[in-house]
Amino acid sequence: MITEALPYGVFSVGGAAPRVGVRVRDGVVDLAAALGDEVFARPTLNAFLAQGPRRWAEIRSRITELDTPPTYPLTDVALHLPVEVADYVDFYASEEHASNLGRLFRPNSAPLLPNWRHLPVGYHGRAGTVVVSGTEVVRPCGQLATSEGPVFGPSRRLDIEAELGFVVGVGGARIPPDAFAEHVFGVVVVNDWSARDIQSWEYVPLGPFLGKSFATSISPWVTPLAALDAARIAAPTRDPEPLPYLRGAEPWGLDIDFTVSWNGQLVSRPPYAGMYWTPAQMLAHLTANGAAARTGDLFASGTVSGPARDQRGSFLELTWNGAEPVEIGGEPRSFLADGDEVTIAATAPGPDGTRIDLGEVRGRILPA
Amino acid sequence: MITEALPYGVFSVGGAAPRVGVRVRDGVVDLAAALGDEVFARPTLNAFLAQGPRRWAEIRSRITELDTPPTYPLTDVALHLPVEVADYVDFYASEEHASNLGRLFRPNSAPLLPNWRHLPVGYHGRAGTVVVSGTEVVRPCGQLATSEGPVFGPSRRLDIEAELGFVVGVGGARIPPDAFAEHVFGVVVVNDWSARDIQSWEYVPLGPFLGKSFATSISPWVTPLAALDAARIAAPTRDPEPLPYLRGAEPWGLDIDFTVSWNGQLVSRPPYAGMYWTPAQMLAHLTANGAAARTGDLFASGTVSGPARDQRGSFLELTWNGAEPVEIGGEPRSFLADGDEVTIAATAPGPDGTRIDLGEVRGRILPA
């Protein structure tokens, strides 16, 4: 049984201007028409996000009480990027993922770098290339290292990263972990497309840049935190104990299950439950230096990888950098070919043993 | 003799709404009033920037023909952030700076990493904390490594970076170096404040994050490229020759001289002329993977450092990580104390042997 998560998105019908809707079953409720509120007659969620948690709760409650609201079938609407992204930050919060990448990229050192257990490592990504699910992704070009020096050309090691993204509604600086729900509105499913060959050559010492900046896809639906009550769990035990600014009493582990499908074939089931750093700690860290978060900020968890092979959230890990290909459509494959399509979906426990659907993020690769 | 650069900014008088102005001598011309054009009655330059180079040239020409335009004395106006920053990218284009940091941070390896001479290394910074000159900067807090493990507290090694920033007017992807002036409107003076202790602990493997994200200050005036004709010079010889996508016939080296003043005392004169990578190459690289630049994007050069000690554009380099303090107000100093004020200014050759003033970026440190 599926409980209604009542996620928010931005939709349009025919040639009409995009506006805010809420998904109910197979339909999209036109919120501006249903509630007579201009804040929903806009092409992004940002104005509503800025109104804050009391208002979010009030609107969610009013939606559940609507009798026969104006609704369009999902099949009749176009879905748009739901949020005008302010700043985009990507973390690295899975111990399995960070350890796997350490083993692959730095085989002669300890898999985790010394800072990893002390702080949620992260970096800024490109906000302007965050796109909505369904947007086709052109294979990026860049410098690729060869034994004769770098050459410029299309990436040969195009990969995915299955992540959970968090959308900031109310800005602020120095946000303690227990104030998380006062600031963050909800979650999206994220595919942080990654060109491993571009990334591995460029990333020292200032981090990933063109290997990531060509596209980051997000689900069209933003699931409010209010729908995730039953998914909230304690985070894993952290050792050493985090510094005080990263401590909180509220449980912000999330028991969310991902699926990763490659050309329609299920290849991985990454579990969010084991993530080392919680999103509340990510936001606390992001703002701990005094930097303010803003309405529309998006921060993502980093690749979700579990301990089992079929729980890894990137193809780099899944195929162990190509050493252990997976069979897709009868062929051994390690990275993305032109025409490939990847769909990442997520579900979570809902009330009373039900499950809620967090939607999916889908993208197909076009040739360079 | 000073030639008029006719830089653009956003100003307000009394309680009136901020709007676009052009600096002429000691005054600010109210462009919306002078030209009767609504595009200048806005709180940022973005709408004008998006109109493109023909329009930029037309307006510059009309300004020079104004007879007695409505002008406010500079002393009577408040200056605001001139651009709503879309994405912010920071490069690392000075060979001296990159080599100095290599020597300081990785004393047992070659100063330059293998990729440095092949591509303009860069990373995304935080757009939401770009502030206008004069904004006070609160000392950031963060994790600081100690022999007993990391502690959380105010940065003890707060530094500056003198940089030149480039403001994108017209977006696009895969912008060749010779199309630079079709896309970039002008330049700002940048102080990329840096907390070295936070940065050195956090930055592996994903690059600088909280050590930079608390504040980046820019000059209130955006000097159009059109004012920099006499400053354009050939870039230094690059060895090896850059890959074809980074080559162009147009000279985009810039003969711009910086001054860095610490509590009013001139401590450094970084020369932009020696920068290894040109801004045209930075933009070509930034968009080479297919990522589009947008109106309002800001990208900065990275610290401008010359070969002489008094040409270094950061205090980390100037004091060789504290080993060679400078005397400020009679005291040996290496990093910023609360109450310190730093002013970075820049000038460039103008027509007929004159010089033009690119303005300054100024900031004072408040306690954490």
Side-chain angles (χ1 to χ4, degrees):
Chain A
M1 180 182 158
I2 300 284
T3 299
E4 297 296 331
L6 302 179
Y8 290 74
V10 170
F11 76 102
S12 61
V13 185
R19 54 198 187 280
V20 174
V22 160
R23 197 185 70 206
V24 180
R25 291 181 297 275
D26 295 330
V28 182
V29 174
D30 183 338
L31 277 192
L35 301 177
D37 190 327
E38 276 300 298
V39 80
F40 301 115
R42 307 198 190 183
T44 70
L45 282 166
N46 294 50
F48 174 55
L49 298 182
Q51 292 182 333
R54 277 200 203 106
R55 175 86 168 142
W56 306 337
E58 178 208 327
I59 294 297
R60 188 169 166 85
S61 163
R62 285 178 63 190
I63 291 167
T64 60
E65 291 157 9
L66 289 171
D67 203 5
T68 51
T71 303
Y72 297 92
L74 255 180
T75 47
D76 288 0
V77 307
L79 294 170
H80 305 272
L81 190 67
V83 175
E84 184 182 354
V85 179
D87 271 299
Y88 167 49
V89 167
D90 198 20
F91 284 94
Y92 195 52
S94 158
E95 181 172 355
E96 298 292 342
H97 172 68
S99 301
N100 285 337
L101 263 65
R103 288 183 196 105
L104 288 166
F105 282 149
R106 298 177 302 272
N108 302 317
S109 330
L112 287 180
L113 288 164
N115 57 14
W116 198 88
R117 290 181 190 281
H118 295 280
L119 56 86
V121 170
Y123 69 104
H124 284 90
R126 190 159 186 82
T129 49
V130 175
V131 297
V132 71
S133 174
T135 307
E136 291 176 317
V137 173
V138 177
R139 180 179 298 275
C141 290
Q143 290 200 18
L144 318 172
T146 75
S147 53
E148 281 94 52
V151 298
F152 184 83
S155 169
R156 298 159 192 166
R157 302 166 70 79
L158 187 55
D159 194 2
I160 62 136
E161 296 195 332
E163 308 195 6
L164 194 64
F166 302 88
V167 176
V168 173
V170 178
R174 302 186 184 86
I175 299 172
D178 283 346
F180 181 67
E182 303 294 309
H183 294 272
V184 168
F185 172 75
V187 306
V188 289
V189 186
V190 177
N191 186 347
D192 180 33
W193 307 94
S194 299
R196 301 301 181 189
D197 37 12
I198 298 174
Q199 183 185 351
S200 60
W201 169 237
E202 74 177 356
Y203 91 107
V204 282
L206 301 184
F209 185 31
L210 300 193
K212 302 275 195 172
S213 68
F214 55 97
T216 305
S217 299
I218 67 172
S219 59
W221 299 110
V222 184
T223 301
L225 291 187
L228 293 174
D229 278 347
R232 293 179 57 186
I233 55 176
T237 304
R238 268 72 59 101
D239 183 18
E241 188 182 19
L243 287 169
Y245 79 100
L246 293 171
R247 291 180 208 158
E250 294 275 329
W252 279 113
L254 291 168
D255 182 18
I256 293 174
D257 289 338
F258 284 72
T259 57
V260 178
S261 300
W262 189 345
N263 293 345
Q265 182 180 326
L266 180 67
V267 294
S268 180
R269 294 180 171 279
Y272 198 85
M275 296 291 275
Y276 193 90
W277 296 106
T278 71
Q281 291 172 315
M282 295 176 207
L283 184 62
H285 186 66
L286 171 54
T287 59
N289 63 347
R294 290 181 291 171
T295 298
D297 275 359
L298 171 69
F299 62 95
S301 60
T303 307
V304 182
S305 286
R309 185 189 174 198
D310 65 358
Q311 293 180 322
R312 296 175 190 159
S314 72
F315 298 160
L316 178 73
E317 295 164 84
L318 186 66
T319 70
W320 210 248
N321 201 15
E324 303 167 13
V326 292
E327 200 171 290
I328 302 293
E331 286 184 16
R333 297 284 298 284
S334 298
F335 293 98
L336 289 163
D338 292 342
D340 278 2
E341 184 173 79
V342 174
T343 303
I344 304 170
T347 64
D352 308 318
T354 58
R355 288 199 75 79
I356 62 167
D357 175 10
L358 276 65
E360 64 177 37
V361 59
R362 186 172 43 77
R364 201 165 67 87
I365 304 302
L366 298 185
Chain B
M1 183 182 157
I2 300 285
T3 299
E4 296 296 330
L6 302 178
Y8 290 75
V10 170
F11 75 101
S12 62
V13 184
R19 53 198 188 281
V20 174
V22 160
R23 198 186 68 206
V24 180
R25 289 181 299 274
D26 295 330
V28 182
V29 174
D30 181 339
L31 277 192
L35 302 177
D37 190 329
E38 275 302 297
V39 80
F40 300 115
R42 307 198 190 184
T44 70
L45 281 166
N46 293 51
F48 174 55
L49 298 182
Q51 293 183 331
R54 277 201 202 103
R55 175 85 168 141
W56 305 337
E58 178 208 327
I59 294 297
R60 187 169 166 85
S61 163
R62 285 178 62 191
I63 290 167
T64 59
E65 292 158 8
L66 289 171
D67 203 5
T68 52
T71 303
Y72 297 91
L74 256 180
T75 46
D76 287 0
V77 307
L79 295 170
H80 305 273
L81 191 67
V83 176
E84 184 183 354
V85 179
D87 271 299
Y88 168 49
V89 167
D90 197 20
F91 285 93
Y92 195 54
S94 158
E95 180 171 356
E96 298 293 341
H97 172 68
S99 302
N100 285 337
L101 264 66
R103 287 184 196 105
L104 287 166
F105 282 150
R106 299 177 302 274
N108 302 316
S109 331
L112 287 180
L113 288 163
N115 57 14
W116 197 89
R117 288 181 191 281
H118 294 281
L119 56 85
V121 170
Y123 69 103
H124 284 90
R126 190 159 186 82
T129 48
V130 175
V131 297
V132 71
S133 174
T135 307
E136 291 176 319
V137 173
V138 177
R139 179 179 299 274
C141 290
Q143 290 200 17
L144 318 172
T146 75
S147 54
E148 280 94 52
V151 298
F152 184 83
S155 169
R156 298 160 193 165
R157 302 166 70 79
L158 187 55
D159 195 2
I160 61 137
E161 296 195 332
E163 309 195 6
L164 195 63
F166 302 88
V167 177
V168 173
V170 178
R174 301 187 184 85
I175 299 171
D178 282 348
F180 181 69
E182 303 295 309
H183 294 272
V184 168
F185 173 75
V187 306
V188 288
V189 185
V190 177
N191 186 348
D192 180 32
W193 306 95
S194 299
R196 300 302 179 188
D197 37 12
I198 298 174
Q199 182 185 353
S200 61
W201 170 236
E202 74 177 356
Y203 91 107
V204 282
L206 301 184
F209 184 30
L210 300 193
K212 301 275 194 172
S213 69
F214 55 97
T216 305
S217 299
I218 68 173
S219 58
W221 300 109
V222 184
T223 300
L225 291 187
L228 293 174
D229 278 347
R232 293 179 56 187
I233 55 174
T237 304
R238 268 71 60 100
D239 182 18
E241 187 181 20
L243 287 169
Y245 80 99
L246 293 172
R247 292 179 207 158
E250 293 275 330
W252 279 113
L254 291 168
D255 181 19
I256 293 175
D257 290 337
F258 283 72
T259 56
V260 178
S261 301
W262 190 343
N263 293 344
Q265 182 181 325
L266 181 66
V267 294
S268 180
R269 295 179 171 276
Y272 198 85
M275 296 290 275
Y276 193 90
W277 297 107
T278 71
Q281 290 173 316
M282 296 175 206
L283 184 61
H285 186 66
L286 171 54
T287 60
N289 64 347
R294 290 182 291 172
T295 298
D297 276 358
L298 172 68
F299 62 95
S301 60
T303 308
V304 182
S305 286
R309 186 189 174 200
D310 65 357
Q311 293 180 322
R312 296 175 189 159
S314 72
F315 297 160
L316 178 73
E317 295 165 84
L318 186 65
T319 70
W320 210 248
N321 201 15
E324 303 167 15
V326 291
E327 199 171 291
I328 301 293
E331 286 184 16
R333 297 285 298 282
S334 298
F335 293 99
L336 289 162
D338 293 342
D340 278 2
E341 183 172 79
V342 174
T343 303
I344 303 170
T347 63
D352 308 317
T354 59
R355 288 198 76 79
I356 62 167
D357 174 11
L358 277 66
E360 64 178 35
V361 58
R362 186 172 42 79
R364 200 165 67 88
I365 304 302
L366 298 186

